[in-house]
Amino acid sequence: MIEMTVLQKKITRRIRILRMLIFSLVGVYSVNLFSMQVLRKQLFESEAERISIQSTRIPAPRGEIYDRSGTRLLAGNIEAYSVYITPSELPSAQRKTVVNNLARLLNISTDDIESKLPDPKAYSYGRVVITKNASLAVIAEIATRIDEFPGVSWTSKPLRDYADLGSLSNIVGYVGSITRDEYKLLYNKGYTLEDLTGKAGIELMYEDLLRGQDGWISKAVDVHGKDIAGNAARVQAPVAGKRLILAIDANLQKIAEDALGKRQGSIIVLKPSTGEVLAMVTYPYYDSKVFIADDAGRAYLELLNNTQKPLLNRAYQASYPPASTFKTILTAAILEEEFISLDKTVYCSGEMVYGGRSWSCHVKKPGHGPLALEDALAQSCDIYYWTVGRDYIGVENIVSYAQDFGYGKATNIDLPGENKGLLPTPSWKEETYNEIWTPGDTMNLSIGQGYMLASPLQVANMMAMIVNDGVIYKPHVLKEVRDSGTGALMHEIQPEVLHTSSISAETFEKLRSSLRNVVVNGTPKAAISTKVVQIAGKTGTAEIGLKDRWHSWFASFGPYDAPPKDQVVVVTMIEASNPWEWWAPYAANVIYQAMYAGQTAQEAAETVGVRLEGSLISGRRE
Amino acid sequence: MNLQDIKRFFGNVDYFLLFATFSLCGIGIAAIYSAGVDANGLVVSNEYIKQLLWFFIGIFLLIGASLIDFSRFKDTSWIFFAISVFLLILTLLVGKVVNGSRSWLGFAGLGIQPAEFAKIATVLMLARYLDSSEFDSSFKKLLKTGCILAIPLVLILAQPDFGSALVFFPAAIVMLTLADVDFRYILFGVLSIVGIFIFLSIPLYVQNHPNPILYMLVTQDSILYVVLIFILILSIISSVGWFKFKKPYYYWLSYSLAILAFSIAGATAANKLLKPYQIERLLVFIDPNIDPRGSGWNILQSTTAIGSGGFWGKGFLEGTHSHARYIPQQSTDFIFSIIAEEFGFVGCMVLFALYTIIFVRCFVLMETSKDRFSQFVVGGILGIFAFHFMINIGMAMGIMPVTGIPLYFVSYGGSALWSGLISIGILTGISARRYSA
């Protein structure tokens, strides 16, 4: 034998260690097997018996969704029968006749059924859904002739059903079949590929609450899958999903929907003292019902391709230049820190020249004349705000106040897909466009134009903060969670402070009176004609580069003299895509009138003397 | 080869090894046949015929592989490696998606899984490198091995076929052990990989088992950074301690802290780079129950089938569980449960004994093979076989995670069978030539 080198010795030792490891693995596995198959055999045998049960799922009904009143059902369930074929239980000789008979009964073509069945050669043990919408009569027919239908089974399953939701569709959302990718993420929660999940709105946001827990019917079967006689089926009852009560008032929603009419835009009615969303209308809206119909896929594609984007909830998923409503922010800044003396006037001659171009106020020459803060806000004078924004307040302060009012930040509303808008800053501009921030940018920002974008919900939050003396509550659509059987209250959503401002209460007091003055003496004086309630607010007319049309805003709260808990915030936003009517203040007017006089939108419109269809006007109004 | 050589070749063929292999294949085909019989006794699957066909073709592959003297042509190892890398790339481009992974290459219903063959090619490539690197430092060996492994690994993970990717590690670990790499390096690598998976799986664990402290750790980056910095400072202190006082516990402290830091950093990087669903897919490994009927279905069914088999088994084709179709992937991943149910403890011991023969023959070959290259190749193949054995049978018994790794020679599937038989062919060739000049 040749003498081994040091290395060889070392390697041989290592091989020995490896051998020991692998042999102990085989040893441990053998011992484990012995323990399983010999020592604990009884245990597994009884387990084997227990497991030889056929389980049928009893789907849990999805939680119902009600409006604020708790009596108006928005989303419920209907019983529908699904018919299945289990290919492995269908003898190939009978396959053709069974398929033919079934097709005739269900009134669908044999090709349809054949296409759903797997290739006869590929063995498959799952059952295949033939239809999900069979009637009770058909099921009864199959049941009486069950001998002729080997391998055919059915289940009754609660299917989602939506009321006539109108614009509520975009809040309630809809359910749809689980996709492969969703399934990968949801399997841990016990979903099956036959399940429906929430895809949008409340249905998506509160999926975990709405979804119940499926039950089972289990019966013992022998090796051949036959019932073992005398063995009662065990039933584990399904647990229904929770009942959700929304903060939305369906009546108010209807009023707002009618007030908006067929105008592309949105309306929000918010309870500032709690953050409850009382109404949220977007137009155009979709109909949740199309998603539970048989051709949901096609309907969805149509909605997706619709250029008016009905799937979008414009109240919080879209953002626009807030225009003159943003002057409220600068006014708050001036009232708080007196960047410019409150009675110091700026002369408006209808236009000013800066940076080599002419900037026109919405009132052309000779303009507003000399204006101090109070009147400048009421008249929405651009020249005043351009001047004070650029020369007195400065971009840093404007941005800081705008942030304080919640711009550029999420409102954390309990609906999916929120648009945070955009609050431009000098550093943002540098990063995005690699351009320096100019005083002209500050001027644009001062009147809520330029890069500035806000969602109507953010504008509503601004007004809520003014009502609440500096507190914004997180806006929410869900009000209560209740037990689906007993209706017992399980959880009530409490107001949650989203943001507390450091601006003084006096400033808010003054700001409220200034905003009241806007309605009494200012731009919307003619439009806000309701006598039943005192309103404060600010208009906005956003330039988006069209000659004769503008985005129209009206952000308001009222009743002006009531304590905050009795006030509401109403924000109306009409896109420039509509023919120009300056409709936003008129719509708010109708809503306040209807709300506080207990009228419908139509009645309210007649009382205040406007036509809901509107009337075209020409020329810009602020 | 003259007549003398041929005589000697056949005289030296390892008939024990071939006997064990073919017996396992036979048991496999019987079990696959059994898996294809339904509760009514009808044969509903022709998988066993396909497996039989693959087996016969595989015998030719085995003979072919045994006739190539790999140690003589070891410098050409890179060709096999290059071909398999090319096939893996091709798979990513034009492969077929089966069970969510783009892992099949082929057409008209016929196909192979290139990952299976990449295992052998990588073993040959690594063996070639380690053979030529006797005087490299442990660190350099580890680094270069890592580089070679990374190529097929990345391509296979991109499919993504997590199970197949995992197999490369035990092969490399056994080969590095044989290559005289410092154990501390090997241990470091193994523990870091384990650590990465533990930390990667914590968010999923928290999702199912709420725990406030862990929850804070996974949701708040700042806390994670504090922990990382804390570990870093500790490891600096302990390394300073080691250099100053030369106390061994300082060494092991910094060693374990480094592993910890490595694991957390690796998991964080993976979390940042991968999309949530990709991580979820990787973690199917840790929480495997994709079964809609709820958690643990596969494992429950499989362990029940095994346990109820008893000492003697229920008899061929008599397994109630196996024929009632409770177990998914009966003929592939869970083939062991059908054998255990129908042939009982005795049958399993026969299976273990056959595998033990293969392991023993590998060890004998490693100890007696005349060149280092052959030793490395045998080690790599042994690592692959042993790992498949450990994971697949452990999974069926419910003590290992479900990874979709087949049991070589027994599970249904052409690619795995062929790569197994080719490996046996290589072993046979090495053993037949070990006494020749």
Side-chain angles (χ1 to χ4, degrees):
Chain A
M1 194 81 200
I2 317 156
E3 207 177 310
M4 280 204 266
T5 63
V6 179
L7 178 67
Q8 276 172 327
K9 269 188 193 152
K10 201 169 167 189
I11 300 299
T12 311
R13 203 166 59 234
R14 286 188 167 199
I15 291 176
R16 249 180 243 144
I17 296 173
L18 272 179
R19 179 159 42 200
M20 207 182 65
L21 281 175
I22 290 181
F23 286 175
S24 20
L25 172 77
V26 176
V28 167
Y29 275 21
S30 306
V31 170
N32 190 46
L33 260 184
F34 187 76
S35 149
M36 285 173 84
Q37 296 191 296
V38 182
L39 302 181
R40 290 185 287 157
K41 180 178 181 245
Q42 303 287 322
L43 195 94
F44 282 106
E45 268 181 344
S46 58
E47 181 81 347
E49 220 161 281
R50 194 178 73 75
I51 274 160
S52 291
I53 44 177
Q54 261 181 4
S55 300
T56 316
R57 208 158 66 99
I58 317 169
R62 200 171 167 84
E64 295 167 327
I65 303 175
Y66 284 87
D67 91 323
R68 189 179 187 83
S69 67
T71 54
R72 193 71 171 267
L73 181 65
L74 305 178
N77 299 291
I78 46 165
E79 264 328 90
Y81 293 89
S82 298
V83 176
Y84 305 89
I85 289 182
T86 311
S88 60
E89 290 172 8
L90 175 57
S92 40
Q94 275 171 272
R95 183 173 165 131
K96 233 189 148 84
T97 38
V98 169
V99 168
N100 281 335
N101 288 340
L102 202 57
R104 210 172 37 245
L105 266 178
L106 296 171
N107 202 16
I108 46 183
S109 76
T110 48
D111 289 346
D112 255 14
I113 298 181
E114 284 290 354
S115 68
K116 285 173 179 161
L117 292 177
D119 187 41
K121 274 172 253 151
Y123 63 102
S124 158
Y125 303 93
R127 52 183 196 182
V128 178
V129 186
I130 302 302
T131 174
K132 287 183 177 173
N133 282 317
S135 70
L136 183 60
V138 170
I139 298 299
E141 182 74 23
I142 297 175
T144 51
R145 294 160 48 196
I146 187 65
D147 292 349
E148 298 169 36
F149 292 100
V152 175
S153 59
W154 63 91
T155 56
S156 90
K157 183 178 181 177
L159 266 190
R160 202 51 158 171
D161 186 35
Y162 295 109
D164 287 319
L165 292 177
S167 63
L168 273 166
S169 292
N170 288 56
I171 296 171
V172 170
Y174 53 90
V175 292
S177 301
I178 211 161
T179 66
R180 288 264 165 199
D181 277 342
E182 284 171 330
Y183 182 55
K184 277 178 203 138
L185 295 174
L186 292 174
Y187 72 80
N188 273 332
K189 293 185 181 169
Y191 283 83
T192 74
L193 275 171
E194 289 172 21
D195 280 335
L196 298 176
T197 59
K199 300 283 184 177
I202 290 289
E203 292 272 31
L204 169 61
M205 201 71 192
Y206 293 107
E207 168 70 20
D208 289 347
L209 290 174
L210 288 167
R211 174 177 180 248
Q213 205 173 6
D214 291 343
W216 295 91
I217 294 181
S218 326
K219 50 187 180 179
V221 291
D222 67 4
V223 182
H224 304 287
K226 293 225 173 70
D227 266 3
I228 296 171
N231 233 330
R234 275 185 298 180
V235 178
Q236 192 193 338
V239 182
K242 308 282 181 293
R243 180 185 299 177
L244 301 188
I245 311 292
L246 303 187
I248 304 280
D249 179 335
N251 289 328
L252 187 58
Q253 177 84 10
K254 176 73 179 144
I255 290 170
E257 190 180 310
D258 291 345
L260 181 61
K262 293 193 186 315
R263 298 173 184 86
Q264 210 159 299
S266 61
I267 293 179
I268 295 172
V269 183
L270 187 75
K271 194 170 176 189
S273 59
T274 58
E276 286 169 287
V277 178
L278 300 177
M280 180 187 264
V281 180
T282 176
Y283 188 87
Y285 43 81
Y286 57 81
D287 184 356
S288 298
K289 273 185 181 166
V290 303
F291 292 96
I292 47 172
D294 272 338
D295 57 348
R298 197 181 50 78
Y300 177 64
L301 268 183
E302 261 171 33
L303 286 169
L304 208 58
N305 293 330
N306 188 328
T307 50
Q308 287 189 296
K309 299 197 171 146
L311 290 170
L312 189 73
N313 191 329
R314 292 174 153 77
Y316 75 97
Q317 291 177 322
S319 60
Y320 313 88
S324 301
T325 60
F326 195 73
K327 288 170 184 164
T328 313
I329 304 289
L330 280 84
T331 309
I334 297 167
L335 289 172
E336 175 77 3
E337 295 191 47
E338 287 215 34
F339 290 104
I340 176 171
S341 167
L342 300 187
D343 39 10
K344 175 158 182 174
T345 59
V346 169
Y347 189 83
C348 168
S349 63
E351 71 172 23
M352 66 190 282
V353 175
Y354 182 77
R357 80 170 180 93
S358 161
W359 301 63
S360 309
C361 190
H362 63 94
V363 175
K364 302 284 176 288
K365 276 189 170 176
H368 289 111
L371 288 165
L373 180 64
E374 181 94 0
D375 292 330
L377 183 71
Q379 300 309 324
S380 199
C381 175
D382 292 337
I383 304 279
Y384 179 88
Y385 284 95
W386 278 327
T387 312
V388 297
R390 187 190 63 195
D391 299 341
Y392 294 86
I393 309 179
V395 62
E396 281 79 15
N397 286 318
I398 297 176
V399 166
S400 134
Y401 273 87
Q403 277 170 344
D404 199 16
F405 277 89
Y407 285 105
K409 284 182 289 193
T411 69
N412 293 340
I413 188 173
D414 55 344
L415 285 174
E418 178 179 358
N419 188 321
K420 287 196 290 187
L422 173 69
L423 177 60
T425 63
S427 58
W428 167 85
K429 190 182 176 193
E430 206 147 309
E431 277 162 29
T432 314
Y433 295 105
N434 199 22
E435 278 172 24
I436 211 139
W437 183 271
T438 64
D441 290 323
T442 308
M443 288 166 69
N444 273 329
L445 179 60
S446 300
I447 61 159
Q449 294 269 177
Y451 303 109
M452 177 74 199
L453 292 172
S455 72
L457 184 60
Q458 286 174 322
V459 175
N461 268 355
M462 170 179 81
M463 285 296 157
M465 177 158 149
I466 295 167
V467 172
N468 292 334
D469 275 348
V471 178
I472 302 178
Y473 291 96
K474 194 184 97 164
H476 57 96
V477 176
L478 181 65
K479 186 165 176 284
E480 291 164 3
V481 180
R482 287 178 177 272
D483 185 273
S484 54
T486 62
L489 183 65
M490 301 175 74
H491 178 68
E492 191 172 3
I493 309 295
Q494 298 299 327
E496 186 187 323
V497 175
L498 179 73
H499 176 72
T500 308
S501 166
S502 54
I503 301 171
S504 69
E506 293 101 298
T507 297
F508 284 113
E509 178 78 55
K510 285 185 225 158
L511 193 53
R512 284 194 291 268
S513 99
S514 299
L515 288 169
R516 172 65 186 149
N517 180 51
V518 170
V519 172
V520 177
N521 298 313
T523 46
K525 189 176 161 186
I528 306 298
S529 60
T530 175
K531 299 284 185 290
V532 293
V533 55
Q534 295 192 344
I535 304 163
K538 181 72 193 87
T539 51
T541 305
E543 298 264 5
I544 54 158
L546 297 171
K547 259 179 92 169
D548 54 349
R549 281 181 287 168
W550 300 268
H551 286 329
S552 172
W553 287 92
F554 188 63
S556 63
F557 57 89
Y560 173 66
D561 42 7
K565 69 175 176 50
D566 296 333
Q567 297 203 29
V568 293
V569 165
V570 177
V571 171
T572 51
M573 196 282 154
I574 315 291
E575 287 182 10
S577 51
N578 304 291
W580 179 237
E581 308 166 296
W582 195 38
W583 185 250
Y586 289 99
N589 190 35
V590 169
I591 291 169
Y592 280 110
Q593 172 69 27
M595 253 179 107
Y596 287 93
Q599 294 171 313
T600 64
Q602 188 59 47
E603 290 161 359
E606 279 160 21
T607 312
V608 297
V610 294
R611 291 168 1 109
L612 284 180
E613 308 79 59
S615 44
L616 298 189
I617 57 174
S618 66
R620 177 170 170 180
R621 296 286 200 295
E622 265 289 333
Chain B
M1 260 200 270
N2 56 33
L3 197 67
Q4 201 72 31
D5 285 341
I6 294 171
K7 258 189 184 161
R8 196 166 56 201
F9 184 88
F10 281 103
N12 287 333
V13 160
D14 192 338
Y15 291 105
F16 276 117
L17 184 67
L18 293 183
F19 165 75
T21 306
F22 294 156
S23 305
L24 284 171
C25 291
I27 292 176
I29 290 163
I32 293 164
Y33 176 80
S34 178
V37 175
D38 75 357
N40 299 319
L42 293 170
V43 178
V44 290
S45 158
N46 59 359
E47 282 180 347
Y48 73 100
I49 296 175
K50 289 194 202 161
Q51 182 82 351
L52 206 57
L53 188 69
W54 288 328
F55 173 63
F56 284 125
I57 299 172
I59 290 176
F60 287 101
L61 294 175
L62 187 155
I63 295 171
S66 72
L67 292 177
I68 301 174
D69 188 350
F70 283 96
S71 61
R72 184 168 295 173
F73 302 111
K74 60 191 172 191
D75 285 335
T76 55
S77 301
W78 66 271
I79 296 177
F80 296 105
F81 188 69
I83 292 173
S84 66
V85 168
F86 172 74
L87 288 179
L88 285 174
I89 294 173
L90 206 61
T91 309
L92 281 181
L93 296 178
V94 299
K96 265 196 304 184
V97 178
V98 176
N99 291 335
S101 299
R102 192 175 291 280
S103 59
W104 284 79
L105 193 60
F107 29 73
L110 294 168
I112 56 162
Q113 285 176 286
E116 280 296 338
F117 302 99
K119 290 173 195 169
I120 304 173
T122 308
V123 164
L124 290 175
M125 182 73 191
L126 262 185
R128 172 74 196 107
Y129 161 67
L130 292 173
D131 180 44
S132 68
S133 70
E134 200 177 324
F135 302 109
D136 285 357
S137 69
S138 283
F139 184 71
K140 198 170 171 190
K141 280 182 192 164
L142 202 65
L143 205 67
K144 285 206 172 169
T145 302
C147 293
I148 295 173
L149 278 186
I151 302 167
L153 268 185
V154 165
L155 292 171
I156 291 171
L157 278 175
Q159 295 180 351
D161 182 353
F162 190 62
S164 296
L166 216 54
V167 180
F168 285 78
F169 290 103
I173 287 167
V174 173
M175 293 172 82
L176 287 170
T177 309
L178 295 177
D180 190 34
V181 168
D182 196 325
F183 261 135
R184 281 171 294 184
Y185 287 104
I186 298 174
L187 198 65
F188 189 93
V190 172
L191 291 179
S192 299
I193 292 163
V194 170
I196 287 175
F197 281 105
I198 290 176
F199 285 106
L200 205 55
S201 63
I202 284 179
L204 189 81
Y205 177 83
V206 172
Q207 201 182 321
N208 296 329
H209 312 267
N211 174 321
I213 297 173
L214 282 178
Y215 185 77
M216 271 193 342
L217 256 179
V218 295
T219 49
Q220 306 211 333
D221 273 358
S222 51
I223 296 182
L224 182 75
Y225 292 136
V226 169
V227 171
L228 264 179
I229 290 169
F230 180 71
I231 292 172
L232 207 69
I233 292 172
L234 258 184
S235 52
I236 290 172
I237 293 174
S238 51
S239 3
V240 169
W242 161 244
F243 282 116
K244 242 186 137 80
F245 306 110
K246 297 284 173 195
K247 287 275 196 308
Y249 53 79
Y250 278 120
Y251 178 86
W252 290 110
L253 187 62
S254 47
Y255 183 79
S256 13
L257 285 171
I259 291 174
L260 198 60
F262 219 79
S263 312
I264 296 179
T268 313
N271 249 326
K272 295 258 144 61
L273 289 177
L274 300 174
K275 297 202 177 76
Y277 76 89
Q278 288 174 316
I279 294 177
E280 190 90 15
R281 230 189 233 175
L282 289 184
L283 291 180
V284 164
F285 163 72
I286 284 143
D287 190 2
N289 311 301
I290 318 181
D291 194 273
R293 278 196 247 192
S295 49
W297 177 258
N298 296 6
I299 293 175
L300 192 67
Q301 296 304 325
S302 167
T303 51
T304 307
I306 293 172
S308 64
F311 191 77
W312 293 108
K314 295 176 185 168
F316 187 51
L317 303 184
E318 298 294 325
T320 49
H321 248 68
S322 316
H323 300 303
R325 299 283 154 205
Y326 288 131
I327 307 176
Q329 281 104 38
Q330 177 81 73
S331 61
T332 53
D333 298 352
F334 285 94
I335 193 79
F336 181 71
S337 67
I338 205 167
I339 296 170
E341 187 183 15
E342 300 195 341
F343 300 112
F345 182 66
V346 174
C348 293
M349 283 305 104
V350 171
L351 185 104
F352 279 23
L354 292 171
Y355 256 104
T356 308
I357 290 176
I358 294 181
F359 296 153
V360 168
R361 297 318 293 177
C362 285
F363 280 114
V364 170
L365 261 184
M366 270 199 281
E367 281 171 334
T368 57
S369 66
K370 60 188 168 68
D371 61 322
R372 295 279 281 155
F373 175 80
S374 303
Q375 208 172 32
F376 289 131
V377 172
V378 176
I381 290 174
L382 171 67
I384 294 174
F385 283 173
F387 186 73
H388 275 252
F389 177 86
M390 174 173 88
I391 297 292
N392 182 283
I393 292 179
M395 159 178 95
M397 295 195 298
I399 54 179
M400 282 282 161
V402 176
T403 27
I405 286 184
L407 187 61
Y408 265 122
F409 312 117
V410 183
S411 285
Y412 169 74
S415 295
L417 183 63
W418 284 355
S419 80
L421 290 174
I422 290 172
S423 303
I424 294 292
I426 294 173
L427 295 180
T428 309
I430 290 173
S431 94
R433 272 180 220 98
R434 77 195 131 139
Y435 300 117
S436 61

